[in-house]
Amino acid sequence: MKNMSPNKKDRVILIPYIEIIIGTILLSLEVHDYMTLYSMDEADKLFGGLVDFYKYKESTYNQAFLWSILIFTGISYWVNKKLYWILTQTFLLLVLLKVLLPFYAIFIELNPIPFYIFPTLYIILFIWIETILCKIKQIESPPINSQTKLLGIATGLLCCIVYILLL
C-alpha cells in the first residue's frame, strides 16, 4: 500500500471536520426554525389555511434527521473507518432521495418524457461520485468487503424510509 503524501493526508482529514461543521450549522438552523415557527394547526388558525408554501414546525424533522446523519458521519471517521464508509453511503443515498423527491411530485402531475431526463442525470451524477469515492485511498483504510457494502446500502435504504416517514 502506497503511503500518501503529507499534503493529501491533510486534505483527507479535513473532510470529517467539514462534515461536522456544516452539519452542526445546518442542524442549529433547523432547531432555530423548530423553536420559532408555527405548527400547522397554529398557522391554520392564524391565517385560515391560505398559506400553502410556508415552512411549518413539522417540516423541520426530516431536515434535522439529514443533518444529524451528516454530523454522525463526520464523527464516525475517528470511531471506525467501516462505520464512516457506511454512514457516507447512507448520507449520499439520503441526498439522492432529497434531490429526486421533487421530481417525483412533478411525475405524478405532468408525466412528460423530458422530466425523466433530470432524475436520470442526477442518478448518473450519484454513481459517478460513488466511483470517485471508492477510488480514494484513505489513511489506514480497512478493506471494504461485500458485507460492509450491503450493510451500507441497507442502512441507507432504511434511513430513506425514515426520511420519507418524517415528511
Side-chain angles (χ1 to χ4, degrees):
M1 180 177 179
K2 292 182 180 179
N3 289 336
M4 295 177 112
S5 66
N7 192 16
K8 286 187 180 181
K9 288 180 185 178
D10 293 338
R11 281 189 264 159
V12 169
I13 200 74
L14 284 177
I15 295 172
Y17 285 118
I18 292 170
E19 289 172 343
I20 292 171
I21 291 169
I22 290 174
T24 304
I25 290 169
L26 294 172
L27 183 62
S28 63
L29 288 173
E30 291 301 324
V31 168
H32 176 266
D33 283 349
Y34 180 79
M35 297 296 182
T36 58
L37 289 175
Y38 296 117
S39 70
M40 287 183 190
D41 293 334
E42 293 170 343
D44 192 35
K45 288 177 187 174
L46 286 173
F47 304 112
L50 295 175
V51 185
D52 288 337
F53 297 106
Y54 187 74
K55 183 176 180 182
Y56 300 110
K57 185 180 281 194
E58 291 84 0
S59 61
T60 60
Y61 299 146
N62 57 352
Q63 299 300 323
F65 178 72
L66 180 68
W67 306 136
S68 298
I69 294 290
L70 182 62
I71 293 170
F72 290 139
T73 301
I75 292 171
S76 70
Y77 181 80
W78 292 282
V79 175
N80 186 342
K81 300 292 184 197
K82 287 186 179 184
L83 179 64
Y84 178 72
W85 192 88
I86 290 169
L87 287 176
T88 301
Q89 301 307 308
T90 301
F91 181 73
L92 289 175
L93 279 173
L94 282 170
V95 168
L96 179 68
L97 176 72
K98 183 170 175 50
V99 168
L100 290 180
L101 228 59
F103 288 111
Y104 180 72
I106 292 171
F107 293 154
I108 291 173
E109 293 295 322
L110 301 175
N111 203 12
I113 297 298
F115 283 114
Y116 289 104
I117 295 172
F118 295 118
T120 306
L121 291 176
Y122 279 121
I123 290 172
I124 291 170
L125 179 68
F126 175 76
I127 293 171
W128 179 65
I129 289 172
E130 285 292 317
T131 56
I132 289 174
L133 284 176
C134 288
K135 289 180 183 177
I136 293 176
K137 303 275 187 198
Q138 294 183 3
I139 308 162
E140 300 172 2
S141 177
I144 304 297
N145 56 14
S146 60
Q147 180 183 6
T148 306
K149 290 178 183 179
L150 288 175
L151 185 61
I153 291 171
T155 305
L157 292 176
L158 179 68
C159 286
C160 287
I161 291 169
V162 169
Y163 184 84
I164 289 172
L165 290 175
L166 289 174
L167 288 175

